[in-house]
Amino acid sequence: MSGSVKSEQLRLGFLETLEIEGRGYVGGLLITNNFGRPLEFQCTTPVKPNRPQEILYGGSLLPWLLGELIGGTLLERVSIKPDLVVTSDPDILELRNHTQIPVVCALAEQEPDGIPVTPGSTMRFGGQRLRFHDAHPVDADRLAGQRHLIPDQADLTEPLERVREALAETVRTVFAR
Amino acid sequence: MTSQPVRQHILSHAAADQAATQPVAEAVSGQPGDSPTVVPLRVDLAQTGFNPALLRLPAIESAAVTLSLVVDLVPGWKPRKNPLKCIGLTLPEGMNFAPARPAATPAAAEACGLLRKPDAGVDHAAAGACDCGDRDSSGTVAAVPKKKTRIRPPADALSLQDRLFYLLQPPLESWLAGQELIMPFEPFAYQYEGIAWLFARHSALLADEMGLGKTMQTITGIRLLLRSGQIRRVLLICPKPLIPNWQREFRTWAEELPVVTIEGTGARRKMLWTLPGACILIANYEAMTRDLNEIPPEEQPKFDLLVLDEAQRIKNRDSRTAETARAVNRRRSWALTGTPIENRPEELAALFEFMEVIPARSSPDLRQLSRLAREHILRRTKDLVMKDMPPRIDRDAELELTDAQQAAYTTAEKEGIVQLNDLGESISVQHVFELVLRLKQITNYDPLTGESAKLERLVADMEEVAASGGKAILFSQWTKTLDWLNVRLQQFNPLIYHGGVPTPKREPILAKFKNDPDAHLILMSYGTGAVGLNLQFAGYVFLYDRWWNPAIEDQAINRAHRIGVKNPVIVTRFISKNTIEERIDRVLREKRELFAAVLGDGDNSNVSLSLNASEIFGLFDLKARHKDGSRSIGPAHPEAA
C-alpha cells in the first residue's frame, strides 16, 4: 500500500434539474472522479420564471433557465471544476455557450421515434453516446484525448440518477415548507 | 420648448324640450378672450321633470397641462441574471491506495466485473450460483447482477448534508465492480445489502446466520468507509483462534489494506496499539482487556471504528471484557455474531450498550429491544437468502454401548448417585456436573479397555467417506478424546485442530486438510473449531459427543454447511442409548420445541438452550437444593474445552 496515488485525473460533472410543481425548477451538479466517486455537490434553491420571461423568452426559456441561469450558477459555485459536464436534458446544452467546459447530453442509442441520432454531433464515451453542442464541434476532439480515463463500459447516466435523488431529498427536507 | 396654455369653455343653453332633441353647443376657444366656437353636440335627455335644471350654466374650471415631447415605454424590462442561492456539500477526499493488480486476462477481468456494461448481467438466481462469502479462492464467479444496491441514509441521519452524503454514493455494484475496487468474487445480493447497511451505520449488529459471509461484508464495509474518507483507523477484536482467519480474509477481500496484528511482548504490543499510520489493528479479546487497561487514560488509542467479532463474548455487561470494550475511544461500534441471544434477551441489551444505543445500565423491555433491533440489527438466515443451497441432512446415530462401556457406565452412575446423595445439603450443581462429564466420557470410550461403540460406527462411516474421496470434520468436547481418536484413525490420515495446537501451526493444518487428497478427517474441539472457519469442502460432520448448547453445535456444523458448499452436508450426531446423552438430548429437544412454539418463526438457531441447574439435577432425579436453581451450569463458552 502506498499513500496518495498521483495519476492523470478526470473530473466529471453531472447536471440535472427538477421541476417542482408551482415552485419552478431546482438544479443540482455532482462532481465525481472518473470512477463516479462523489467529490462535491451543489444544488440551487427553486427558481421560477415570471410571466414576462415566459412571454419574451418563448422557446428559448428553458435553455436560458436550465442551462444559462441554473447551470451557470452551479458551475460558478463548485470549487472543483469539472473537465466535462454530463446531462440528460438537451436544453442544458445551452450552458456550453457560457463556459469553456464541454457540455454533453447522454443519449439513448436511438431517439424515441426510432430514428438514429445524428452521427456528426455525437461520439461514444464510456458506455454512452454523447451529443455535443452544435456550435462547439471542437469539444469532441478535446474529449477524444481523455477517452482512456473512462472505462469503455462506464455508465455515465447512473450519476444523474443520484443527482435527481439528491434533489428530491433536498426539496423534501428543505423547500417543501 | 414650452407648451401653450389652453383655455376651454363649454356652453350649454338649450331648453329642456330642445335639449331632448337639439345638439348641445360646446365652445372651445383658442385664446383668452376669443369668441366661443359653438360645437354641435347632440345629447339625448330623458323626460324626467328636472330638465329645467339644465338651463343653468355649468361651472367650468381650467387647468394648465404640460405636454411631453418624449415618449415613455411602460413597462420597462431587460433580461438580468437573478442571483440564485445554492446549497453545497463537499465530500471527504477519502484514502487512496495503490492500484490493485489488474486482471491478468480479459476473461479474468470480465469475471471480476472489470468490464461491466451499464445494463449487462444476469439475475440474482444465476449470480447466486457463484461462490462467495467466507470462502476460499476456489469459487466460481458469475456475471455481474443487474440490480443496483444503493446506500440509504439511516433513520438517525437528520441533517441534509448527512443524508445527501449517503444518497450521492455510487451503487455498490459499480463501486465494487473493479472500476476502483477490485473484488475477487462477486458478492451475493444480500451481501451487497449488508455492506450498504453497515456502511450507513455508526451502531450496527450484523447477526447473519453462520456461514452467510459476515466477515466479507464487514471487510468490504470497512474498505468502502476508508475509501470514502469516513474512517481512518479501525480496531477489530476477535477470539484468538480467529485472528489467522481474519488476516487471510483481509488478504482476500482487501489486499490493499494494511493490517497490523497486536501480538508479541508487552512493550511491542504497547507500541503497536499507538502505532501511527496503522490502518487496521486486529487483536484478541484477552489482549484488548489486558493491554488497554494498562495504558493511561490520556494515552488511550482512538479509533474511528471498533468491530467486535463473536460479540456474544461481551454478553455479560459486568465482565472486564465488556467494560473494556465499552471504554474504547471510538466513533462507530459494530458487533458481529451469529447468536445475538444465547440465553436471555438481556444479553442483547449488553450488545446495545456497547453500541451506545441505550444508556449505561439501562434494562430495556422486550418491546424496546424489538424496536431497537429493527434499526440496529441485520439478521438473515440461510433459509431466507440461500434457497438453492444444498441441504444439511441431520441424522442421529443412536448406539448401544459395548459391554465393557456399559459395565463401566453403570458402575460409575451408581457410585456417582450414591456419592451425590451422601453429600446431603452440601450438594451443588458442580458435583452433579462432574458426574455428567464422567459419564459422557465413558460413552465416548471405556478408559480401561478402550472399547467404543462410537468408534466402531465412526470407522465404518469413515471408510465410506474415504472411499468416495470425501472429507469429514469430527467435533468433540475433549481434546483428550481427540488425541485418543487420532491414534485409532490413522488409516484416514487424521489432522488435529484444537486449543493445544500452537496458533502458527493451525493455518497449515487447515491448508493440508483442504489440499491433501489423502487427508480425509480433521478432529476438532468445539472451542477452537466451531467458529469462524471455512471448511465448506467437507461434506460430512460428526458430532462425537454433544455440546451443552445446540447453538454451539450449529456453529460447528456451519463450518461445512456454508456458502460455497456444492453438495449436501451430512451431519451425524452420536448418541449413546439409555445414557446421560439421551437424557440431555431429550431435554434440549423439548426446550427447542417449546421455544419454537412461543416464537413461532422457526428462527431459533440464535437461542441457546443450555441446561440450567434444575435440569442438570433432573437428569438424575435429584432436586436443586439451592437458590441457584435456575443458574446455567457447564462451561459458559466452548473456549473452555
Side-chain angles (χ1 to χ4, degrees), chain A residues 78-147:
Chain A
V78 288
S79 57
I80 303 172
K81 302 300 180 191
D83 301 301
L84 170 70
V85 175
V86 182
T87 181
S88 65
D89 188 348
D91 286 330
I92 295 178
L93 284 178
E94 168 64 18
L95 173 62
R96 180 61 182 93
N97 288 328
H98 307 276
T99 178
Q100 294 301 311
I101 299 170
V103 181
V104 296
C105 182
L107 297 173
E109 285 300 309
Q110 292 203 325
E111 298 289 9
D113 59 3
I115 302 170
V117 292
T118 314
S121 59
T122 68
M123 72 174 284
R124 179 162 285 284
F125 194 80
Q128 264 69 44
R129 182 163 288 281
L130 303 180
R131 179 184 158 193
F132 295 88
H133 196 290
D134 292 337
H136 302 274
V138 69
D139 288 354
D141 298 333
R142 284 177 60 182
L143 276 188
Q146 296 173 310
R147 250 179 173 167

Coordinates of all heavy atoms in Angstrom, one line a residue, chain A residues 78-147:
Chain A
V78 N -19.2 25.6 -7.8 CA -18.4 24.4 -7.4 C -16.9 24.8 -7.3 O -16.4 25.5 -8.1 CB -18.6 23.2 -8.3 CG1 -19.9 22.6 -8.2 CG2 -18.3 23.6 -9.8
S79 N -16.3 24.3 -6.2 CA -14.9 24.6 -6.1 C -14.0 23.7 -6.9 O -12.9 24.0 -7.2 CB -14.5 24.5 -4.6 OG -14.8 23.2 -4.1
I80 N -14.5 22.5 -7.2 CA -13.8 21.5 -8.1 C -14.4 21.7 -9.4 O -15.6 21.2 -9.7 CB -13.9 20.1 -7.6 CG1 -13.4 20.0 -6.1 CG2 -13.2 19.1 -8.5 CD1 -13.7 18.6 -5.5
K81 N -13.7 22.2 -10.4 CA -14.2 22.5 -11.7 C -14.1 21.2 -12.5 O -13.0 20.6 -12.6 CB -13.5 23.6 -12.4 CG -13.5 24.9 -11.7 CD -14.9 25.4 -11.5 CE -14.9 26.8 -10.7 NZ -16.3 27.2 -10.3
P82 N -15.2 20.8 -13.1 CA -15.2 19.5 -13.9 C -14.5 19.7 -15.3 O -14.4 20.8 -15.8 CB -16.7 19.2 -14.1 CG -17.3 20.5 -14.0 CD -16.5 21.4 -13.1
D83 N -14.0 18.6 -15.8 CA -13.5 18.6 -17.2 C -14.6 18.4 -18.2 O -14.3 18.6 -19.4 CB -12.4 17.6 -17.3 CG -11.3 17.8 -16.3 OD1 -10.6 18.8 -16.3 OD2 -11.1 16.9 -15.4
L84 N -15.7 17.9 -17.7 CA -16.8 17.6 -18.6 C -18.1 17.7 -17.8 O -18.1 17.2 -16.7 CB -16.6 16.2 -19.2 CG -17.8 15.6 -20.0 CD1 -17.9 16.4 -21.4 CD2 -17.6 14.2 -20.3
V85 N -19.1 18.3 -18.4 CA -20.4 18.3 -17.8 C -21.4 17.4 -18.6 O -21.5 17.6 -19.8 CB -21.0 19.7 -17.7 CG1 -22.4 19.7 -17.1 CG2 -20.1 20.6 -16.8
V86 N -22.0 16.4 -17.9 CA -22.9 15.5 -18.5 C -24.3 15.8 -18.0 O -24.5 16.0 -16.8 CB -22.5 14.0 -18.1 CG1 -23.4 13.1 -18.9 CG2 -21.1 13.8 -18.5
T87 N -25.2 15.8 -18.9 CA -26.6 15.9 -18.5 C -27.5 15.0 -19.4 O -27.0 14.4 -20.3 CB -27.1 17.4 -18.7 OG1 -28.4 17.5 -18.3 CG2 -26.9 17.8 -20.2
S88 N -28.8 14.9 -19.0 CA -29.7 14.1 -19.8 C -30.6 15.0 -20.6 O -31.5 14.5 -21.3 CB -30.4 13.1 -19.0 OG -31.3 13.8 -18.1
D89 N -30.5 16.3 -20.3 CA -31.5 17.3 -20.9 C -30.9 18.1 -22.0 O -30.0 18.9 -21.7 CB -32.0 18.2 -19.8 CG -33.2 19.0 -20.2 OD1 -33.4 19.1 -21.4 OD2 -33.8 19.7 -19.3
P90 N -31.3 18.0 -23.2 CA -30.7 18.8 -24.3 C -30.8 20.3 -24.1 O -30.0 21.1 -24.6 CB -31.5 18.4 -25.5 CG -32.1 17.1 -25.2 CD -32.4 17.1 -23.7
D91 N -31.8 20.8 -23.3 CA -31.9 22.2 -23.0 C -30.7 22.7 -22.3 O -30.3 23.9 -22.4 CB -33.2 22.5 -22.2 CG -34.4 22.4 -23.1 OD1 -34.4 22.7 -24.3 OD2 -35.5 22.0 -22.5
I92 N -30.1 21.8 -21.5 CA -29.0 22.3 -20.7 C -27.7 22.5 -21.5 O -26.7 23.1 -21.1 CB -28.7 21.3 -19.5 CG1 -30.0 21.3 -18.6 CG2 -27.5 21.6 -18.7 CD1 -29.9 20.4 -17.4
L93 N -27.7 22.0 -22.7 CA -26.5 22.2 -23.6 C -26.3 23.7 -23.8 O -25.1 24.0 -24.1 CB -26.8 21.5 -25.0 CG -26.7 20.0 -25.0 CD1 -27.0 19.5 -26.4 CD2 -25.3 19.6 -24.6
E94 N -27.3 24.5 -23.6 CA -27.1 25.9 -23.7 C -26.0 26.4 -22.8 O -25.3 27.5 -23.1 CB -28.4 26.6 -23.4 CG -28.3 28.1 -23.2 CD -27.9 28.9 -24.4 OE1 -28.0 28.3 -25.5 OE2 -27.5 30.1 -24.3
L95 N -25.8 25.7 -21.7 CA -24.7 26.1 -20.8 C -23.4 26.2 -21.5 O -22.5 27.1 -21.1 CB -24.6 25.1 -19.7 CG -23.5 25.2 -18.7 CD1 -23.6 26.5 -17.9 CD2 -23.5 24.0 -17.7
R96 N -23.2 25.5 -22.5 CA -21.9 25.5 -23.2 C -21.5 26.8 -23.8 O -20.4 27.2 -24.0 CB -21.9 24.4 -24.3 CG -20.6 24.3 -25.1 CD -19.4 23.9 -24.2 NE -18.2 23.9 -25.0 CZ -17.3 24.9 -25.1 NH1 -17.6 26.1 -24.5 NH2 -16.2 24.8 -25.7
N97 N -22.6 27.6 -24.1 CA -22.3 29.0 -24.7 C -21.8 29.9 -23.6 O -21.5 31.1 -24.0 CB -23.6 29.5 -25.3 CG -24.0 28.8 -26.6 OD1 -23.1 28.3 -27.3 ND2 -25.3 28.6 -26.9
H98 N -21.8 29.5 -22.4 CA -21.4 30.4 -21.3 C -20.3 29.9 -20.5 O -20.0 30.4 -19.4 CB -22.6 30.7 -20.4 CG -23.8 31.1 -21.2 ND1 -24.1 32.4 -21.5 CD2 -24.9 30.4 -21.7 CE1 -25.2 32.5 -22.2 NE2 -25.7 31.3 -22.3
T99 N -19.6 28.8 -21.0 CA -18.5 28.3 -20.3 C -17.5 27.6 -21.3 O -17.9 27.4 -22.4 CB -18.9 27.2 -19.3 OG1 -17.8 26.6 -18.6 CG2 -19.7 26.1 -19.9
Q100 N -16.3 27.5 -20.8 CA -15.3 26.8 -21.7 C -15.3 25.3 -21.5 O -14.6 24.6 -22.2 CB -13.9 27.4 -21.4 CG -13.8 28.9 -21.7 CD -14.0 29.1 -23.2 OE1 -13.5 28.4 -24.1 NE2 -14.9 30.1 -23.5
I101 N -16.1 24.8 -20.6 CA -16.1 23.4 -20.3 C -17.0 22.7 -21.2 O -18.2 23.1 -21.4 CB -16.5 23.2 -18.8 CG1 -15.5 23.8 -17.9 CG2 -16.6 21.7 -18.5 CD1 -16.0 23.9 -16.4
P102 N -16.6 21.6 -21.8 CA -17.5 20.9 -22.7 C -18.8 20.4 -22.0 O -18.7 19.9 -20.8 CB -16.7 19.7 -23.2 CG -15.3 20.1 -23.0 CD -15.3 21.0 -21.8
V103 N -19.9 20.6 -22.6 CA -21.2 20.1 -22.0 C -21.8 19.1 -23.0 O -21.9 19.4 -24.2 CB -22.2 21.3 -21.8 CG1 -23.5 20.8 -21.2 CG2 -21.5 22.3 -20.9
V104 N -22.2 17.9 -22.5 CA -22.7 16.9 -23.4 C -24.0 16.4 -22.8 O -24.2 16.4 -21.6 CB -21.7 15.7 -23.5 CG1 -20.4 16.2 -24.2 CG2 -21.4 15.1 -22.2
C105 N -24.8 15.8 -23.7 CA -26.0 15.2 -23.3 C -25.9 13.7 -23.6 O -25.6 13.3 -24.7 CB -27.2 15.9 -24.1 SG -28.8 15.2 -23.7
A106 N -26.1 12.9 -22.6 CA -26.1 11.5 -22.8 C -27.3 11.0 -23.4 O -28.5 11.3 -23.0 CB -25.9 10.8 -21.4
L107 N -27.2 10.3 -24.5 CA -28.3 9.9 -25.3 C -28.6 8.4 -25.3 O -27.6 7.6 -25.0 CB -28.1 10.3 -26.8 CG -27.9 11.7 -27.1 CD1 -27.5 11.9 -28.6 CD2 -29.2 12.5 -26.9
A108 N -29.8 8.1 -25.5 CA -30.1 6.7 -25.8 C -29.6 6.3 -27.1 O -29.2 7.2 -27.9 CB -31.6 6.4 -25.7
E109 N -29.4 5.1 -27.4 CA -28.9 4.7 -28.7 C -29.7 5.2 -29.9 O -29.3 5.5 -30.9 CB -28.7 3.1 -28.8 CG -27.6 2.6 -28.0 CD -26.2 3.2 -28.4 OE1 -25.9 3.1 -29.6 OE2 -25.5 3.7 -27.6
Q110 N -31.0 5.3 -29.6 CA -31.9 5.8 -30.6 C -32.9 6.8 -30.0 O -33.2 6.7 -28.8 CB -32.8 4.6 -31.2 CG -31.9 3.6 -32.0 CD -32.7 2.9 -33.0 OE1 -33.9 2.6 -32.8 NE2 -32.2 2.6 -34.2
E111 N -33.3 7.7 -30.8 CA -34.2 8.7 -30.3 C -35.6 8.0 -30.1 O -35.8 6.9 -30.7 CB -34.4 9.8 -31.3 CG -33.1 10.6 -31.5 CD -32.8 11.5 -30.3 OE1 -33.4 11.3 -29.3 OE2 -31.8 12.3 -30.5
P112 N -36.5 8.6 -29.3 CA -37.7 7.9 -29.0 C -38.5 7.5 -30.3 O -39.2 6.5 -30.3 CB -38.5 9.0 -28.2 CG -37.4 9.8 -27.6 CD -36.3 9.8 -28.6
D113 N -38.4 8.3 -31.3 CA -39.1 7.9 -32.5 C -38.4 6.8 -33.4 O -38.9 6.5 -34.4 CB -39.4 9.1 -33.4 CG -38.1 9.8 -33.8 OD1 -37.1 9.3 -33.5 OD2 -38.2 10.9 -34.5
G114 N -37.3 6.3 -32.9 CA -36.7 5.3 -33.6 C -35.7 5.7 -34.6 O -35.0 4.9 -35.2
I115 N -35.5 7.0 -34.7 CA -34.5 7.5 -35.7 C -33.2 7.6 -35.0 O -33.0 8.1 -34.0 CB -34.9 8.9 -36.2 CG1 -36.3 8.8 -36.8 CG2 -33.9 9.4 -37.2 CD1 -36.9 10.2 -37.1
P116 N -32.1 7.0 -35.6 CA -30.8 7.0 -35.0 C -30.4 8.5 -34.9 O -30.7 9.3 -35.7 CB -29.9 6.3 -36.0 CG -30.9 5.4 -36.8 CD -32.2 6.2 -36.9
V117 N -29.6 8.7 -33.8 CA -29.1 10.1 -33.6 C -28.1 10.5 -34.7 O -27.5 9.6 -35.3 CB -28.4 10.2 -32.2 CG1 -29.4 10.0 -31.1 CG2 -27.3 9.2 -32.1
T118 N -28.0 11.8 -34.9 CA -27.2 12.3 -35.9 C -25.7 11.9 -35.6 O -25.2 12.3 -34.5 CB -27.3 13.8 -36.0 OG1 -28.7 14.1 -36.0 CG2 -26.7 14.3 -37.2
P119 N -25.1 11.2 -36.5 CA -23.7 10.7 -36.1 C -22.7 11.9 -36.0 O -21.8 11.8 -35.2 CB -23.4 9.8 -37.2 CG -24.3 10.1 -38.4 CD -25.5 10.7 -37.8
G120 N -22.9 12.9 -36.8 CA -21.9 14.0 -36.8 C -21.7 14.7 -35.5 O -20.6 15.2 -35.2
S121 N -22.8 14.9 -34.7 CA -22.7 15.7 -33.5 C -22.5 14.8 -32.2 O -22.7 15.3 -31.1 CB -23.9 16.5 -33.4 OG -25.1 15.7 -33.3
T122 N -22.2 13.6 -32.4 CA -22.1 12.7 -31.2 C -20.8 11.9 -31.3 O -20.2 11.8 -32.3 CB -23.3 11.7 -31.2 OG1 -23.2 10.8 -32.3 CG2 -24.6 12.4 -31.3
M123 N -20.5 11.4 -30.1 CA -19.4 10.4 -30.1 C -19.6 9.5 -28.9 O -20.4 9.8 -28.0 CB -18.1 11.1 -29.9 CG -17.8 11.7 -28.5 SD -16.2 12.4 -28.2 CE -15.3 10.9 -28.0
R124 N -19.0 8.3 -29.0 CA -19.2 7.3 -27.9 C -18.1 7.6 -26.8 O -16.9 7.8 -27.1 CB -19.1 5.9 -28.4 CG -19.2 4.9 -27.4 CD -19.5 3.5 -28.0 NE -20.8 3.4 -28.4 CZ -21.9 3.2 -27.6 NH1 -21.7 3.1 -26.3 NH2 -23.1 3.1 -28.1
F125 N -18.5 7.6 -25.6 CA -17.6 8.0 -24.5 C -18.1 7.1 -23.3 O -19.3 7.3 -22.9 CB -17.7 9.5 -24.2 CG -16.6 10.0 -23.3 CD1 -15.4 10.3 -23.8 CD2 -16.8 10.2 -21.9 CE1 -14.4 10.8 -23.0 CE2 -15.8 10.7 -21.1 CZ -14.6 11.0 -21.7
G126 N -17.2 6.3 -22.8 CA -17.7 5.4 -21.7 C -18.7 4.4 -22.4 O -18.6 4.0 -23.5
G127 N -19.8 4.2 -21.7 CA -20.8 3.3 -22.2 C -21.9 4.1 -22.9 O -22.9 3.4 -23.3
Q128 N -21.8 5.4 -23.1 CA -22.9 6.1 -23.7 C -22.5 6.8 -25.0 O -21.3 7.0 -25.3 CB -23.3 7.2 -22.7 CG -24.5 6.9 -21.9 CD -24.2 5.8 -20.9 OE1 -23.1 5.9 -20.2 NE2 -25.0 4.8 -20.7
R129 N -23.5 7.2 -25.8 CA -23.3 8.1 -26.9 C -23.6 9.5 -26.4 O -24.7 9.7 -25.8 CB -24.2 7.7 -28.1 CG -24.1 8.5 -29.3 CD -24.7 7.8 -30.5 NE -23.9 6.7 -30.9 CZ -22.8 6.7 -31.6 NH1 -22.3 7.9 -32.0 NH2 -22.1 5.7 -32.0
L130 N -22.7 10.4 -26.6 CA -22.9 11.7 -26.1 C -23.1 12.7 -27.3 O -22.5 12.6 -28.3 CB -21.6 12.2 -25.4 CG -21.2 11.3 -24.2 CD1 -19.9 11.8 -23.6 CD2 -22.3 11.2 -23.2
R131 N -24.0 13.7 -27.0 CA -24.3 14.7 -28.0 C -23.7 16.0 -27.6 O -23.8 16.4 -26.4 CB -25.8 14.9 -28.1 CG -26.2 15.9 -29.1 CD -27.7 16.1 -29.2 NE -28.0 17.4 -29.7 CZ -29.2 18.0 -29.6 NH1 -30.2 17.3 -29.0 NH2 -29.5 19.2 -30.0
F132 N -23.0 16.6 -28.5 CA -22.3 17.9 -28.2 C -23.2 19.1 -28.7 O -24.1 18.9 -29.5 CB -21.0 17.9 -28.9 CG -20.0 16.9 -28.4 CD1 -20.0 15.6 -28.9 CD2 -19.2 17.2 -27.3 CE1 -19.1 14.7 -28.4 CE2 -18.3 16.2 -26.8 CZ -18.3 15.0 -27.4
H133 N -22.8 20.2 -28.2 CA -23.4 21.5 -28.7 C -23.0 21.7 -30.2 O -21.8 21.6 -30.5 CB -23.0 22.6 -27.8 CG -23.9 23.8 -28.0 ND1 -23.9 24.6 -29.2 CD2 -24.9 24.4 -27.2 CE1 -24.8 25.6 -29.0 NE2 -25.4 25.5 -27.9
D134 N -24.0 22.0 -31.0 CA -23.7 22.1 -32.4 C -22.7 23.2 -32.7 O -21.9 23.1 -33.7 CB -25.0 22.4 -33.2 CG -25.9 21.2 -33.2 OD1 -25.4 20.1 -33.0 OD2 -27.1 21.4 -33.3
A135 N -22.6 24.2 -31.9 CA -21.8 25.4 -32.1 C -20.3 25.1 -31.6 O -19.5 26.0 -31.8 CB -22.3 26.6 -31.5
H136 N -20.1 24.0 -31.0 CA -18.8 23.7 -30.4 C -18.3 22.3 -30.8 O -18.1 21.5 -29.9 CB -18.8 23.8 -28.9 CG -19.3 25.2 -28.4 ND1 -18.5 26.3 -28.2 CD2 -20.6 25.6 -28.1 CE1 -19.2 27.3 -27.8 NE2 -20.5 26.9 -27.7
P137 N -18.1 22.2 -32.1 CA -17.6 20.8 -32.5 C -16.2 20.5 -32.0 O -15.9 19.3 -31.9 CB -17.6 21.0 -34.0 CG -17.5 22.4 -34.3 CD -18.2 23.1 -33.2
V138 N -15.5 21.4 -31.5 CA -14.1 21.1 -31.0 C -14.1 20.3 -29.8 O -13.2 19.7 -29.4 CB -13.4 22.5 -30.8 CG1 -13.9 23.2 -29.6 CG2 -11.9 22.2 -30.6
D139 N -15.3 20.3 -29.1 CA -15.4 19.6 -27.8 C -15.1 18.1 -28.0 O -14.5 17.4 -27.2 CB -16.8 19.8 -27.2 CG -17.0 21.1 -26.6 OD1 -16.0 21.9 -26.6 OD2 -18.1 21.5 -26.2
A140 N -15.6 17.6 -29.1 CA -15.4 16.2 -29.4 C -13.9 15.8 -29.5 O -13.5 14.8 -28.9 CB -16.1 15.8 -30.7
D141 N -13.1 16.7 -30.1 CA -11.7 16.5 -30.2 C -11.0 16.5 -28.8 O -10.2 15.7 -28.5 CB -11.1 17.5 -31.1 CG -11.6 17.4 -32.5 OD1 -12.0 16.3 -32.9 OD2 -11.7 18.4 -33.2
R142 N -11.5 17.5 -28.0 CA -10.9 17.6 -26.7 C -11.2 16.3 -25.9 O -10.3 15.8 -25.1 CB -11.5 18.8 -25.9 CG -11.0 20.1 -26.4 CD -11.6 21.3 -25.7 NE -11.5 21.3 -24.3 CZ -12.0 22.2 -23.5 NH1 -12.8 23.1 -24.0 NH2 -11.9 22.1 -22.2
L143 N -12.4 15.8 -26.0 CA -12.8 14.7 -25.1 C -12.1 13.4 -25.7 O -11.8 12.5 -24.9 CB -14.3 14.5 -25.1 CG -15.0 15.3 -24.1 CD1 -16.5 14.9 -24.1 CD2 -14.4 15.1 -22.7
A144 N -11.9 13.4 -27.0 CA -11.3 12.1 -27.5 C -9.9 11.9 -26.9 O -9.5 10.7 -26.7 CB -11.1 12.3 -29.0
G145 N -9.2 12.9 -26.5 CA -7.9 12.7 -25.8 C -8.0 12.2 -24.4 O -7.0 11.8 -23.8
Q146 N -9.2 12.2 -23.8 CA -9.4 11.8 -22.4 C -10.2 10.5 -22.3 O -10.6 10.1 -21.3 CB -10.1 12.9 -21.6 CG -9.3 14.1 -21.5 CD -10.0 15.3 -20.9 OE1 -11.1 15.6 -21.3 NE2 -9.4 15.9 -19.9
R147 N -10.5 9.9 -23.5 CA -11.3 8.7 -23.5 C -10.7 7.6 -22.7 O -11.5 6.8 -22.0 CB -11.4 8.2 -25.0 CG -12.8 8.4 -25.6 CD -12.7 7.9 -27.0 NE -14.0 7.9 -27.6 CZ -14.2 7.7 -28.9 NH1 -13.2 7.6 -29.7 NH2 -15.4 7.7 -29.4

